[in-house]
Amino acid sequence: MEDHAEKKGVSNTVTGMIFGCYALFDLLASLVFGKYLVQIGAKFMFVAGMFVSGGVTILFGVLDQVPEGPIFIAMCFLVRVADAVSFAAAITASFSILVKAFPNNVATVLGSLEIFSGLGLVLGPPLGGFLYQSFGYEVPFIFLGCIVLLMVPLNMYILPNYDSDPGEHSFWKLITLPKVALIAFVINSLSACFGFLDPTLSLFVLEKFNLPAGYVGLVFLGLALSYAISSPLFGLLSDKIPHLRKWFLVWGNIITAGCYMLLGPIPILHIKSQLWLLVLILVLNGISAGMSIIPTIPEILSCAYENGFEEGLSTLGLVSGLFSATWSVGAFIGPTLGGFLYEKIGFEWAAAVQGLWSLTSGLTMGLFYLWEHSRRRRSKLQNIPGTEEERTALLPDDI
């Protein structure tokens, strides 16, 4: 896509804006769709999102037929925005439908789905590359768009209709709950960590280890596969033993931070950068990411229910909208800041800075859980004498 934009005489800044506008519209659309999920209908939102997404993907393939200049730039922006909005609709609705369909196994189902996200990340680049080299620019987009469109009638047939009443709660009430705000910060830092690797890791691997371009994708394989394999396991554990979720969240972030310190590795450590070490760290990063991403939605949900949000589609819409929105903020900041820091201070230090973000979110989350634990213990201790006094006060009357 980028080299085609260059051929059409689009500057690097505008290309950056075309890619950046995706995250902005994904953020806005996630919030709007999350709020109005019940009114629009979860099934319609999911199916319509997929339909538009498939169509837009096909349009991507024919963008190189558009004459260069302002028309080309405008069409690029249009297609990117439509892609972001349709993606936000499909993802926000899909989370809500899943949680509604499997209320007692939320983390297990989300974890199992991440297998397919991982597979997509693994298979996408080589398959796309193969189609591009064999058949040219258009075919990968048309092929993928048609697959998505084929899924539309299938989902129309399979998915049940969920009816629900609109709730009176808002995003603002959800995000101002301290625990939810902190978990949003965690989601943000994790998606920024993933996003950071996009523009920087391949350049670093090419420069440092002189690998042929085809092998760079294999380095990413370790991350995607370990994430896909470990996610269902953490999901299962999160559902079966709910008090483990807080440990996953905290330690997942701290381990992720350690991974980013060692990616380069950071020069202070005086460890020689080696390819096997890099791949090993990426595998570990995949596991720690699964560990911290999977418990986020169940934790936000339980916190919302504790604070008086009604159990139903309207709350699920808010929670999944919030997840998508905070994820897209990180997905924008990660590559933007990562690319900038990579140029200024080099990969080793840039990765360490990214790791600091995860470390901060992990430690803050840990401190919050400690505070919450001590507050609960205090309130239990205060309640015990009260109940004893009430009993003695009531007993004489009963007798």
Side-chain angles (χ1 to χ4, degrees), residues 43 46-47 150-161:
K43 180 178 179 176
F46 180 66
V47 172
L150 284 173
M151 293 291 160
V152 172
L154 185 71
N155 279 292
M156 284 168 80
Y157 178 68
I158 290 175
L159 288 182
N161 280 312

Side-chain angles (χ1 to χ4, degrees), residues 5-89:
E6 260 173 51
K7 282 176 199 162
K8 295 277 189 185
V10 180
S11 69
N12 279 343
T13 316
V14 176
T15 306
M17 283 165 69
I18 291 169
F19 275 83
C21 77
Y22 182 90
L24 175 67
F25 280 90
D26 188 12
L27 164 71
L28 297 173
S30 297
L31 294 174
V32 173
F33 289 141
K35 179 80 182 97
Y36 295 107
L37 178 84
V38 174
Q39 288 89 330
I40 297 169
K43 180 178 179 176
F44 176 76
M45 190 188 287
F46 180 66
V47 172
M50 280 185 70
F51 179 72
V52 175
S53 187
V56 165
T57 307
I58 292 170
L59 284 180
F60 251 119
V62 294
L63 269 182
D64 62 338
Q65 311 293 333
V66 176
E68 58 187 74
I71 300 178
F72 178 72
I73 294 172
M75 288 305 290
C76 283
F77 272 113
L78 254 174
V79 169
R80 269 311 262 180
V81 168
D83 195 20
V85 172
S86 58
F87 178 76

Side-chain angles (χ1 to χ4, degrees), residues 218-237:
L218 292 177
V219 175
F220 277 100
L221 203 64
L223 173 70
L225 279 179
S226 61
Y227 176 65
I229 293 165
S230 65
S231 290
L233 179 68
F234 289 124
L236 193 65
L237 288 170

Side-chain angles (χ1 to χ4, degrees), residues 268-287:
I268 314 167
L269 298 173
H270 301 294
I271 301 173
K272 190 175 175 294
S273 184
Q274 285 162 310
L275 190 58
W276 67 265
L277 179 68
L278 181 79
V279 174
L280 180 69
I281 294 295
L282 284 172
V283 168
L284 192 61
N285 183 18
I287 296 169

Side-chain angles (χ1 to χ4, degrees), residues 304-364:
Y305 294 150
E306 276 168 28
N307 286 282
F309 280 72
E310 62 279 337
E311 295 201 21
L313 261 188
S314 59
T315 302
L316 300 180
L318 289 178
V319 172
S320 54
L322 179 72
F323 181 90
S324 306
T326 38
W327 185 269
S328 68
V329 172
F332 175 68
I333 297 172
T336 318
L337 189 66
F340 173 75
L341 290 174
Y342 181 85
E343 278 179 19
K344 293 281 178 278
I345 53 175
F347 181 81
E348 292 88 348
W349 282 107
V353 170
Q354 192 63 54
L356 273 179
W357 192 350
S358 274
L359 186 64
T360 313
S361 64
L363 292 175
T364 321

Side-chain angles (χ1 to χ4, degrees), residues 108-119:
T108 310
V109 172
L110 292 177
S112 311
L113 268 195
E114 291 308 308
I115 297 176
F116 298 97
S117 300
L119 277 176

Side-chain angles (χ1 to χ4, degrees), residues 173-236:
K173 185 166 181 222
L174 185 65
I175 196 74
T176 46
L177 298 172
K179 187 174 179 177
V180 174
L182 285 173
I183 295 174
F185 181 56
V186 167
I187 296 166
N188 218 267
S189 70
L190 289 165
S191 95
C193 282
F194 273 159
F196 165 82
L197 296 175
D198 260 355
T200 57
L201 186 65
S202 49
L203 292 172
F204 175 69
V205 170
L206 286 170
E207 277 174 29
K208 196 84 179 175
F209 306 110
N210 300 323
L211 281 182
Y215 284 89
V216 176
L218 292 177
V219 175
F220 277 100
L221 203 64
L223 173 70
L225 279 179
S226 61
Y227 176 65
I229 293 165
S230 65
S231 290
L233 179 68
F234 289 124
L236 193 65

